[in-house]
């Protein structure tokens, strides 16, 4: 069982930045972030496969979001730059992907809300 705790969400203006952080209880080589926009299905945002040194960023956020992993701190972070109103969603940290690029995982955190106003 992997426990995931997110932090760093909030409300910002368009163009601003936020960094989400996820502290995990047990290491898993494949971890990432997904988001759920109200009224839509959950979608993968970014993922990292630590064992292979590979990362993935979804097209809607490519060039603006970056995922990173800190093994010593047991955290996975999502740096979000140039935020847009359409990035408004609840963001979930996730672990143990079932495919690559991942959109589904075995474990999810409780989520943190990100709201971007224009």
């Amino acid at each position: 069982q992997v426990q995931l705790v997110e932090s760093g969400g909030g409300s910002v203006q368009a163009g601003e930045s936020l960094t989400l952080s996820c502290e995990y209880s047990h290491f898993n080589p494949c971890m990432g972030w997904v988001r759920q926009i109200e009224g839509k299905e959950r979608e993968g945002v970014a993922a990292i496969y630590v064992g292979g040194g590979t990362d993935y960023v979804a097209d809607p956020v490519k060039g603006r979001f970056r995922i990173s992993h800190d093994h010593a701190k047991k955290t996975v972070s999502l740096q979000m730059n140039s935020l847009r109103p359409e990035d408004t969603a609840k963001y979930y940290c996730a672990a143990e992907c079932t495919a690559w690029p991942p959109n589904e995982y075995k474990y999810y955190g409780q989520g943190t809300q990100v709201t971007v106003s224009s």
Side-chain angles (χ1 to χ4, degrees):
Q1 184 80 12
V2 179
Q3 294 183 336
L4 307 163
V5 180
E6 304 97 335
S7 61
S11 297
V12 297
Q13 298 286 319
E16 294 184 342
S17 300
L18 272 177
T19 298
L20 305 182
S21 185
C22 171
E23 187 171 348
Y24 57 83
S25 61
H26 297 84
F27 173 76
N28 187 279
C30 183
M31 302 190 69
W33 291 87
V34 302
R35 68 184 183 186
Q36 187 156 24
I37 298 169
E38 192 171 341
K40 296 187 177 182
E41 290 188 0
R42 189 167 55 195
E43 62 178 358
V45 176
I48 187 165
Y49 188 76
V50 178
T54 302
D55 61 29
Y56 161 80
V57 180
D59 286 343
V61 301
K62 194 165 290 183
R64 300 187 296 122
F65 290 15
R66 187 176 73 90
I67 188 169
S68 61
H69 171 256
D70 188 322
H71 194 79
K73 295 181 179 179
K74 297 177 72 174
T75 58
V76 177
S77 298
L78 184 68
Q79 173 70 40
M80 306 185 295
N81 299 319
S82 302
L83 282 161
R84 303 169 181 171
E86 54 264 39
D87 294 319
T88 295
K90 194 163 188 179
Y91 285 73
Y92 298 85
C93 180
E96 195 166 329
C97 56
T98 57
W100 190 269
N103 198 44
E104 292 292 330
Y105 297 78
K106 185 173 181 179
Y107 303 103
Y108 294 89
Q110 293 299 307
T112 184
Q113 180 68 34
V114 172
T115 302
V116 185
S117 55
S118 57

